[in-house]
Amino acid sequence: MTLIVSPETEERAQMGQAVAQNLWEDSQKTLPLAHLALEYVAEQALRDGVSACARPTDLEHLPGYNFEQYCLEIKALRFSDALWREAQQRYQLIFGTQLCHWVGAFTRTPAGEKAYEVFTSSRYQTLCQIQAMTDC
């Protein structure tokens, strides 16, 4: 799974023009499940006021959801520092992932930052393993 960049975005980048918006739009087209997952946890975190985490089973209601496809997309989005930073700026939240299947959103409050620390801890990483998943 890779991000497909439009010719317009590539051309703008080659000309030295700003491309953040174009790249974001390209990623929405290429990685729709990842974007839906971020939107889902963002809404939950803002409603909660602190944080929200989603396991794969929490995302089954998303249109076109497929576990394997979702894992590939969230990993592709997460591996782009530019896109991850853009998501955090757009939602004004801190996002985190565990492996390639759990995603979390955290408010920029002391409680949200503490929840992020817990979510990204070694202990939590160990506890979120899925037995049958060995290659994501």
Side-chain angles (χ1 to χ4, degrees), residues 47-97:
R47 189 173 304 122
D48 177 72
V50 176
S51 66
C53 299
R55 295 179 171 120
T57 54
D58 299 327
L59 303 172
E60 291 175 346
H61 69 280
L62 297 177
Y65 181 79
N66 170 284
F67 176 70
E68 289 80 14
Q69 184 66 27
Y70 158 73
C71 288
L72 291 171
E73 288 185 23
I74 200 70
K75 184 169 62 172
L77 184 64
R78 179 63 186 104
F79 284 169
S80 169
D81 290 337
L83 288 172
W84 203 248
R85 186 175 47 250
E86 183 69 22
Q88 293 183 122
Q89 290 173 349
R90 284 177 178 268
Y91 290 102
Q92 290 299 297
L93 293 166
I94 303 165
F95 287 107
T97 57

Side-chain angles (χ1 to χ4, degrees), residues 68-130:
E68 289 80 14
Q69 184 66 27
Y70 158 73
C71 288
L72 291 171
E73 288 185 23
I74 200 70
K75 184 169 62 172
L77 184 64
R78 179 63 186 104
F79 284 169
S80 169
D81 290 337
L83 288 172
W84 203 248
R85 186 175 47 250
E86 183 69 22
Q88 293 183 122
Q89 290 173 349
R90 284 177 178 268
Y91 290 102
Q92 290 299 297
L93 293 166
I94 303 165
F95 287 107
T97 57
Q98 288 294 340
L99 302 176
C100 59
H101 56 277
W102 279 27
V103 64
F106 309 87
T107 59
R108 296 176 186 269
T109 63
E113 291 171 2
K114 178 64 176 162
Y116 174 75
E117 287 177 24
V118 170
F119 183 77
T120 58
S121 70
S122 309
R123 178 179 176 276
Y124 208 78
Q125 175 74 47
T126 301
L127 296 174
C128 82
Q129 302 294 315
I130 293 179

